[in-house]
Amino acid sequence: MSERVTFHLDEDRIPRAWYNIAADLPAPPPPVLHPGTHQPIGPDDLAPLFPPALIAQEVSTERDVEIPEPVRDIYRQWRPSPLRRARRLERALGTPARIYYKYEGVSPAGSHKPNTAIAQAFYNREAGVKRIATETGAGQWGSSLAYAGAIFGIDVLVFMVRVSFGQKPYRRALMETYGARCVASPSPETAAGRVILERDPNHPGSLGIAISEAVEVAAQRDDTKYALGSVLNHVLLHQTVVGLEAMAQMELAGDWPDVLVGCTGGGSNFAGLVFPFLGAQLRGGRPVRVIAVEPAACPSLTRGRYAYDFGDTAHLTPLTKMHTLGSTFTPPGFHAGGLRYHGMAPLVSHVKELGLVEAVAFDQLRCFAAGVEFARAEGIVPAPEANHAVRGAIDEALRCREEGVSRAILLNLCGHGHFDMQAYADYLAGKLTDQRYDEAELAMALSGLPSMPPP
Ligand SMILES: Cc1ncc(COP(=O)(O)O)c(C=O)c1O
């Protein structure tokens, strides 16, 4: 095996098609339902929110979905992203494991999110859309869509979860630099936000609330659509450039992962890395162990119920079957803002139910410890969300050390933490604590799940 650290692909190796796992699944995922009729929704139900091309991708079962040339052209600004062997981290851990990371922090916004933001803005521009409303947690998605809006000449309005709005002023400045407008959510600008502010003027916000606000704005105006940075099938589809490139890079390395690790908020960076590998496995290729790492303070995959639920707090979205903590659940204000979502992507939930992936949940202090260890060995400061994947990979590498076996571990280092240095400063000063959700609140949120007619 080569002693190389970075496995580069040339620009012409940017994938020409996204990979759609729906083509290879042994059973299709449950349908998305209309909240009133409980019948499967059709394209007309989604038309107020999304352009036709994205609605078609949402239900497509074609294995390869062509990436439009204008999208590939913009991908060239940062893709193919590097895949590196974490040799220094391996040495620091004293592990026989071979640790690789796919580094998505090289994108203009600093994470995997532009992979779908560019595609979504492109299809919206093709459909003549002038304005897009969206939500953002940590600000990674908002700044990615703001960047995509600048490229395609679309106005972007971002509802940013209030707790992150306070924690990350420079993310907001980045969105504004790209030309977007960013407001703290819950906001007085929508009916959904006003109802919550009346009850609690200091409400910390949640992704579920911010989604309600953005959907409400989009549904009201013909020239405005909505965009989501995670969860939906088409978002996961766009992220598969990550895994497709990683497969080619692992071949360059003359190696193949035994274990894949990704963090899960709504599931998009995780699916982006693992779905192409799982697809190969489902078509008879080499099996791979897949681990989803989520925050213990918002553990949808490990503590949630697999049930039909709304994607947002005000119940404006269709019903999807997913692992959910209940749409009214408000997670505590821990630092990985991008992981503070009550639900999980229906496709990720489905592959979990099929037994194709495992899930674990970690507290934030152990994740920051892993991020600091990674930074000191590899030089890159991971985003707090990515620290969850780093923790998962380090734990697997330490298991290799205990067992005296060498396995190849590939993690998705989905973003850098350069806008999150306050969180690191707090961690280093001993000011961060592990946040616990309120069990009573979880029970209450789960008891409010929509009641469905028997199948
Ligand atoms: C860096 C980073 N990682 C992960 C996530 C979680 O989203 P997903 O699970 O869709 O990748 C976010 C969301 O904002 C993020 O900014």
Side-chain angles (χ1 to χ4, degrees), residues 142-189:
S143 37
S144 301
L145 195 68
Y147 160 58
I151 290 206
F152 289 107
I154 297 174
D155 289 341
V156 172
L157 168 61
V158 183
F159 290 93
M160 184 170 189
V161 175
R162 183 175 298 274
V163 62
S164 295
F165 190 87
Q167 279 169 349
K168 296 179 187 179
Y170 298 123
R171 273 282 164 199
R172 174 183 168 196
L174 182 60
M175 290 181 238
E176 289 171 350
T177 302
Y178 285 133
R181 193 161 80 84
C182 174
V183 296
S185 167
S187 82
E189 301 203 6

Short mmCIF file of all heavy atoms in Angstrom, two decimals, residues 142-189:
data_model
loop_
_atom_site.label_atom_id
_atom_site.label_comp_id
_atom_site.label_asym_id
_atom_site.label_seq_id
_atom_site.Cartn_x
_atom_site.Cartn_y
_atom_site.Cartn_z
N GLY A 142 -27.61 27.68 5.35
CA GLY A 142 -28.01 29.03 4.92
C GLY A 142 -26.92 29.68 4.09
O GLY A 142 -27.19 30.29 3.05
N SER A 143 -25.67 29.54 4.52
CA SER A 143 -24.61 30.20 3.75
C SER A 143 -24.37 29.47 2.43
O SER A 143 -24.01 30.10 1.43
CB SER A 143 -23.32 30.38 4.55
OG SER A 143 -23.07 29.31 5.38
N SER A 144 -24.64 28.17 2.38
CA SER A 144 -24.49 27.44 1.12
C SER A 144 -25.54 27.88 0.11
O SER A 144 -25.26 28.08 -1.07
CB SER A 144 -24.61 25.93 1.37
OG SER A 144 -23.63 25.52 2.28
N LEU A 145 -26.78 28.01 0.59
CA LEU A 145 -27.84 28.44 -0.34
C LEU A 145 -27.63 29.91 -0.73
O LEU A 145 -27.91 30.30 -1.87
CB LEU A 145 -29.23 28.22 0.27
CG LEU A 145 -30.35 28.31 -0.76
CD1 LEU A 145 -30.30 27.14 -1.75
CD2 LEU A 145 -31.72 28.37 -0.10
N ALA A 146 -27.13 30.71 0.21
CA ALA A 146 -26.84 32.12 -0.11
C ALA A 146 -25.79 32.18 -1.24
O ALA A 146 -25.94 32.95 -2.20
CB ALA A 146 -26.32 32.84 1.13
N TYR A 147 -24.78 31.36 -1.15
CA TYR A 147 -23.74 31.29 -2.20
C TYR A 147 -24.38 30.85 -3.53
O TYR A 147 -24.14 31.47 -4.58
CB TYR A 147 -22.65 30.32 -1.74
CG TYR A 147 -21.76 29.73 -2.81
CD1 TYR A 147 -21.00 30.55 -3.64
CD2 TYR A 147 -21.65 28.35 -2.97
CE1 TYR A 147 -20.17 30.00 -4.61
CE2 TYR A 147 -20.83 27.79 -3.92
CZ TYR A 147 -20.09 28.62 -4.75
OH TYR A 147 -19.28 28.07 -5.71
N ALA A 148 -25.21 29.82 -3.47
CA ALA A 148 -25.85 29.32 -4.69
C ALA A 148 -26.78 30.38 -5.28
O ALA A 148 -26.85 30.55 -6.50
CB ALA A 148 -26.64 28.04 -4.39
N GLY A 149 -27.46 31.14 -4.42
CA GLY A 149 -28.33 32.21 -4.89
C GLY A 149 -27.53 33.28 -5.61
O GLY A 149 -27.94 33.81 -6.65
N ALA A 150 -26.34 33.59 -5.07
CA ALA A 150 -25.48 34.60 -5.71
C ALA A 150 -25.08 34.12 -7.10
O ALA A 150 -25.03 34.90 -8.06
CB ALA A 150 -24.25 34.85 -4.84
N ILE A 151 -24.81 32.84 -7.24
CA ILE A 151 -24.37 32.31 -8.53
C ILE A 151 -25.49 32.34 -9.56
O ILE A 151 -25.28 32.67 -10.72
CB ILE A 151 -23.83 30.87 -8.34
CG1 ILE A 151 -22.53 30.96 -7.58
CG2 ILE A 151 -23.70 30.15 -9.67
CD1 ILE A 151 -21.58 29.87 -7.79
N PHE A 152 -26.70 31.99 -9.14
CA PHE A 152 -27.80 31.87 -10.10
C PHE A 152 -28.74 33.08 -10.10
O PHE A 152 -29.80 33.05 -10.74
CB PHE A 152 -28.60 30.58 -9.84
CG PHE A 152 -27.83 29.35 -10.22
CD1 PHE A 152 -27.30 28.51 -9.26
CD2 PHE A 152 -27.61 29.04 -11.57
CE1 PHE A 152 -26.58 27.37 -9.62
CE2 PHE A 152 -26.88 27.92 -11.94
CZ PHE A 152 -26.36 27.07 -10.95
N GLY A 153 -28.40 34.16 -9.37
CA GLY A 153 -29.22 35.37 -9.39
C GLY A 153 -30.58 35.18 -8.75
O GLY A 153 -31.60 35.65 -9.26
N ILE A 154 -30.64 34.46 -7.62
CA ILE A 154 -31.90 34.23 -6.90
C ILE A 154 -31.79 34.86 -5.52
O ILE A 154 -30.76 34.71 -4.84
CB ILE A 154 -32.17 32.70 -6.77
CG1 ILE A 154 -32.34 32.07 -8.15
CG2 ILE A 154 -33.40 32.44 -5.90
CD1 ILE A 154 -32.47 30.56 -8.12
N ASP A 155 -32.86 35.59 -5.10
CA ASP A 155 -32.86 36.16 -3.75
C ASP A 155 -33.08 35.04 -2.73
O ASP A 155 -33.94 34.18 -2.95
CB ASP A 155 -34.00 37.17 -3.58
CG ASP A 155 -33.73 38.44 -4.36
OD1 ASP A 155 -32.56 38.68 -4.72
OD2 ASP A 155 -34.70 39.18 -4.65
N VAL A 156 -32.34 35.08 -1.64
CA VAL A 156 -32.46 34.02 -0.63
C VAL A 156 -32.82 34.64 0.72
O VAL A 156 -32.21 35.61 1.15
CB VAL A 156 -31.13 33.23 -0.53
CG1 VAL A 156 -31.16 32.24 0.63
CG2 VAL A 156 -30.85 32.48 -1.84
N LEU A 157 -33.85 34.06 1.35
CA LEU A 157 -34.28 34.48 2.69
C LEU A 157 -34.07 33.31 3.63
O LEU A 157 -34.61 32.22 3.41
CB LEU A 157 -35.76 34.88 2.66
CG LEU A 157 -36.45 35.09 4.01
CD1 LEU A 157 -35.80 36.22 4.80
CD2 LEU A 157 -37.94 35.38 3.81
N VAL A 158 -33.29 33.52 4.68
CA VAL A 158 -32.92 32.42 5.59
C VAL A 158 -33.48 32.66 6.99
O VAL A 158 -33.22 33.70 7.60
CB VAL A 158 -31.38 32.28 5.70
CG1 VAL A 158 -31.01 31.09 6.57
CG2 VAL A 158 -30.73 32.16 4.33
N PHE A 159 -34.24 31.69 7.49
CA PHE A 159 -34.69 31.70 8.89
C PHE A 159 -33.66 30.89 9.68
O PHE A 159 -33.55 29.68 9.50
CB PHE A 159 -36.09 31.10 9.02
CG PHE A 159 -37.16 31.98 8.42
CD1 PHE A 159 -37.57 31.79 7.10
CD2 PHE A 159 -37.71 33.00 9.16
CE1 PHE A 159 -38.53 32.61 6.54
CE2 PHE A 159 -38.68 33.84 8.60
CZ PHE A 159 -39.09 33.64 7.28
N MET A 160 -32.92 31.59 10.54
CA MET A 160 -31.84 30.92 11.28
C MET A 160 -32.28 30.67 12.72
O MET A 160 -32.72 31.60 13.41
CB MET A 160 -30.58 31.80 11.26
CG MET A 160 -29.37 31.14 11.91
SD MET A 160 -27.88 32.12 11.59
CE MET A 160 -26.61 31.03 12.21
N VAL A 161 -32.16 29.42 13.16
CA VAL A 161 -32.55 29.03 14.53
C VAL A 161 -31.92 30.03 15.52
O VAL A 161 -30.71 30.24 15.49
CB VAL A 161 -32.09 27.59 14.82
CG1 VAL A 161 -32.38 27.22 16.27
CG2 VAL A 161 -32.76 26.61 13.87
N ARG A 162 -32.77 30.62 16.39
CA ARG A 162 -32.33 31.75 17.21
C ARG A 162 -31.07 31.45 18.02
O ARG A 162 -30.16 32.27 18.10
CB ARG A 162 -33.46 32.18 18.15
CG ARG A 162 -33.14 33.40 19.00
CD ARG A 162 -34.34 33.82 19.81
NE ARG A 162 -35.45 34.22 18.96
CZ ARG A 162 -35.62 35.45 18.47
NH1 ARG A 162 -34.75 36.38 18.76
NH2 ARG A 162 -36.64 35.73 17.70
N VAL A 163 -30.98 30.27 18.60
CA VAL A 163 -29.81 29.98 19.45
C VAL A 163 -28.52 30.02 18.62
O VAL A 163 -27.49 30.55 19.07
CB VAL A 163 -29.99 28.64 20.21
CG1 VAL A 163 -30.11 27.47 19.28
CG2 VAL A 163 -28.86 28.40 21.20
N SER A 164 -28.57 29.57 17.37
CA SER A 164 -27.38 29.63 16.51
C SER A 164 -27.14 31.06 16.02
O SER A 164 -26.00 31.49 15.84
CB SER A 164 -27.55 28.73 15.28
OG SER A 164 -27.63 27.39 15.67
N PHE A 165 -28.25 31.79 15.78
CA PHE A 165 -28.15 33.18 15.34
C PHE A 165 -27.31 33.97 16.35
O PHE A 165 -26.47 34.79 15.98
CB PHE A 165 -29.57 33.76 15.26
CG PHE A 165 -29.70 35.09 14.61
CD1 PHE A 165 -29.85 35.21 13.23
CD2 PHE A 165 -29.70 36.25 15.38
CE1 PHE A 165 -30.00 36.46 12.64
CE2 PHE A 165 -29.84 37.50 14.80
CZ PHE A 165 -29.99 37.60 13.42
N GLY A 166 -27.54 33.67 17.65
CA GLY A 166 -26.77 34.33 18.70
C GLY A 166 -25.34 33.81 18.78
O GLY A 166 -24.39 34.57 18.96
N GLN A 167 -25.20 32.48 18.57
CA GLN A 167 -23.87 31.87 18.76
C GLN A 167 -22.93 32.15 17.58
O GLN A 167 -21.73 32.11 17.71
CB GLN A 167 -24.02 30.33 18.86
CG GLN A 167 -24.43 29.82 20.22
CD GLN A 167 -24.81 28.33 20.17
OE1 GLN A 167 -24.96 27.75 19.09
NE2 GLN A 167 -24.98 27.73 21.32
N LYS A 168 -23.51 32.38 16.39
CA LYS A 168 -22.68 32.41 15.17
C LYS A 168 -22.92 33.65 14.30
O LYS A 168 -23.40 33.54 13.18
CB LYS A 168 -22.94 31.15 14.35
CG LYS A 168 -22.51 29.93 15.13
CD LYS A 168 -22.73 28.65 14.43
CE LYS A 168 -22.42 27.54 15.42
NZ LYS A 168 -22.62 26.23 14.92
N PRO A 169 -22.54 34.82 14.83
CA PRO A 169 -22.79 36.06 14.06
C PRO A 169 -22.05 36.08 12.73
O PRO A 169 -22.50 36.70 11.76
CB PRO A 169 -22.28 37.16 15.00
CG PRO A 169 -21.38 36.48 15.98
CD PRO A 169 -21.91 35.09 16.13
N TYR A 170 -20.92 35.39 12.65
CA TYR A 170 -20.15 35.45 11.39
C TYR A 170 -20.77 34.59 10.30
O TYR A 170 -20.56 34.85 9.11
CB TYR A 170 -18.69 35.07 11.64
CG TYR A 170 -18.02 36.03 12.59
CD1 TYR A 170 -17.44 35.59 13.76
CD2 TYR A 170 -18.03 37.40 12.33
CE1 TYR A 170 -16.87 36.48 14.66
CE2 TYR A 170 -17.46 38.29 13.21
CZ TYR A 170 -16.88 37.83 14.38
OH TYR A 170 -16.33 38.71 15.26
N ARG A 171 -21.54 33.57 10.68
CA ARG A 171 -22.28 32.80 9.66
C ARG A 171 -23.32 33.72 9.01
O ARG A 171 -23.52 33.72 7.82
CB ARG A 171 -22.99 31.60 10.28
CG ARG A 171 -22.14 30.38 10.35
CD ARG A 171 -22.04 29.68 8.98
NE ARG A 171 -20.93 28.75 8.99
CZ ARG A 171 -20.33 28.26 7.90
NH1 ARG A 171 -20.72 28.61 6.70
NH2 ARG A 171 -19.34 27.42 7.99
N ARG A 172 -23.97 34.52 9.86
CA ARG A 172 -24.95 35.48 9.33
C ARG A 172 -24.24 36.47 8.40
O ARG A 172 -24.73 36.78 7.32
CB ARG A 172 -25.61 36.20 10.51
CG ARG A 172 -26.52 37.30 10.07
CD ARG A 172 -27.09 38.01 11.29
NE ARG A 172 -27.74 39.24 10.90
CZ ARG A 172 -28.05 40.20 11.74
NH1 ARG A 172 -27.78 40.09 13.01
NH2 ARG A 172 -28.65 41.29 11.31
N ALA A 173 -23.09 36.98 8.84
CA ALA A 173 -22.35 37.93 8.00
C ALA A 173 -21.97 37.28 6.66
O ALA A 173 -22.00 37.94 5.61
CB ALA A 173 -21.10 38.41 8.73
N LEU A 174 -21.65 35.99 6.69
CA LEU A 174 -21.29 35.29 5.45
C LEU A 174 -22.51 35.24 4.52
O LEU A 174 -22.40 35.51 3.31
CB LEU A 174 -20.77 33.88 5.76
CG LEU A 174 -20.33 33.05 4.56
CD1 LEU A 174 -19.19 33.72 3.78
CD2 LEU A 174 -19.88 31.65 5.01
N MET A 175 -23.67 34.91 5.08
CA MET A 175 -24.90 34.88 4.26
C MET A 175 -25.15 36.24 3.64
O MET A 175 -25.49 36.35 2.46
CB MET A 175 -26.10 34.46 5.13
CG MET A 175 -26.06 33.01 5.55
SD MET A 175 -27.52 32.58 6.53
CE MET A 175 -26.76 32.01 8.03
N GLU A 176 -24.98 37.28 4.44
CA GLU A 176 -25.22 38.63 3.93
C GLU A 176 -24.17 39.02 2.89
O GLU A 176 -24.46 39.71 1.92
CB GLU A 176 -25.28 39.63 5.10
CG GLU A 176 -26.56 39.42 5.92
CD GLU A 176 -26.62 40.20 7.23
OE1 GLU A 176 -25.59 40.78 7.63
OE2 GLU A 176 -27.69 40.20 7.85
N THR A 177 -22.96 38.56 3.09
CA THR A 177 -21.91 38.84 2.10
C THR A 177 -22.29 38.24 0.75
O THR A 177 -22.06 38.85 -0.31
CB THR A 177 -20.56 38.25 2.58
OG1 THR A 177 -20.26 38.82 3.85
CG2 THR A 177 -19.43 38.55 1.61
N TYR A 178 -22.89 37.05 0.78
CA TYR A 178 -23.34 36.43 -0.48
C TYR A 178 -24.63 37.09 -1.01
O TYR A 178 -25.11 36.75 -2.08
CB TYR A 178 -23.60 34.94 -0.27
CG TYR A 178 -22.36 34.07 -0.16
CD1 TYR A 178 -22.24 33.13 0.86
CD2 TYR A 178 -21.32 34.16 -1.09
CE1 TYR A 178 -21.13 32.31 0.95
CE2 TYR A 178 -20.20 33.35 -0.99
CZ TYR A 178 -20.11 32.42 0.03
OH TYR A 178 -19.01 31.61 0.12
N GLY A 179 -25.23 37.98 -0.20
CA GLY A 179 -26.41 38.72 -0.68
C GLY A 179 -27.74 38.22 -0.15
O GLY A 179 -28.80 38.68 -0.59
N ALA A 180 -27.73 37.30 0.82
CA ALA A 180 -29.00 36.78 1.36
C ALA A 180 -29.48 37.65 2.53
O ALA A 180 -28.71 38.44 3.08
CB ALA A 180 -28.81 35.34 1.83
N ARG A 181 -30.75 37.48 2.90
CA ARG A 181 -31.27 38.10 4.12
C ARG A 181 -31.46 37.00 5.15
O ARG A 181 -31.97 35.93 4.83
CB ARG A 181 -32.61 38.79 3.84
CG ARG A 181 -33.06 39.72 4.96
CD ARG A 181 -34.10 40.71 4.46
NE ARG A 181 -35.42 40.12 4.39
CZ ARG A 181 -36.26 40.02 5.42
NH1 ARG A 181 -35.92 40.49 6.59
NH2 ARG A 181 -37.45 39.47 5.26
N CYS A 182 -31.04 37.28 6.39
CA CYS A 182 -31.06 36.25 7.43
C CYS A 182 -31.79 36.80 8.65
O CYS A 182 -31.43 37.86 9.15
CB CYS A 182 -29.61 35.89 7.78
SG CYS A 182 -29.44 34.76 9.16
N VAL A 183 -32.85 36.09 9.11
CA VAL A 183 -33.58 36.54 10.30
C VAL A 183 -33.57 35.42 11.35
O VAL A 183 -33.55 34.24 11.01
CB VAL A 183 -35.04 36.95 9.98
CG1 VAL A 183 -35.09 38.14 9.06
CG2 VAL A 183 -35.82 35.79 9.39
N ALA A 184 -33.63 35.84 12.62
CA ALA A 184 -33.65 34.85 13.71
C ALA A 184 -35.03 34.22 13.79
O ALA A 184 -36.05 34.90 13.67
CB ALA A 184 -33.29 35.52 15.03
N SER A 185 -35.07 32.91 13.97
CA SER A 185 -36.33 32.16 14.05
C SER A 185 -36.48 31.54 15.43
O SER A 185 -35.52 30.93 15.92
CB SER A 185 -36.34 31.07 12.98
OG SER A 185 -37.38 30.15 13.22
N PRO A 186 -37.65 31.63 16.10
CA PRO A 186 -38.91 32.17 15.59
C PRO A 186 -38.84 33.69 15.38
O PRO A 186 -38.23 34.39 16.17
CB PRO A 186 -39.92 31.81 16.69
CG PRO A 186 -39.12 31.47 17.91
CD PRO A 186 -37.78 31.02 17.44
N SER A 187 -39.50 34.14 14.29
CA SER A 187 -39.47 35.55 13.92
C SER A 187 -40.89 36.12 13.90
O SER A 187 -41.85 35.36 13.78
CB SER A 187 -38.86 35.70 12.53
OG SER A 187 -39.85 35.43 11.55
N PRO A 188 -41.00 37.44 13.99
CA PRO A 188 -42.33 38.05 13.87
C PRO A 188 -42.82 38.11 12.42
O PRO A 188 -43.91 38.59 12.16
CB PRO A 188 -42.14 39.45 14.45
CG PRO A 188 -40.68 39.69 14.50
CD PRO A 188 -39.95 38.40 14.30
N GLU A 189 -42.02 37.60 11.47
CA GLU A 189 -42.37 37.75 10.05
C GLU A 189 -43.40 36.74 9.56
O GLU A 189 -43.92 36.86 8.46
CB GLU A 189 -41.10 37.63 9.18
CG GLU A 189 -40.08 38.67 9.54
CD GLU A 189 -39.09 38.96 8.42
OE1 GLU A 189 -39.25 38.45 7.31
OE2 GLU A 189 -38.14 39.71 8.70
#
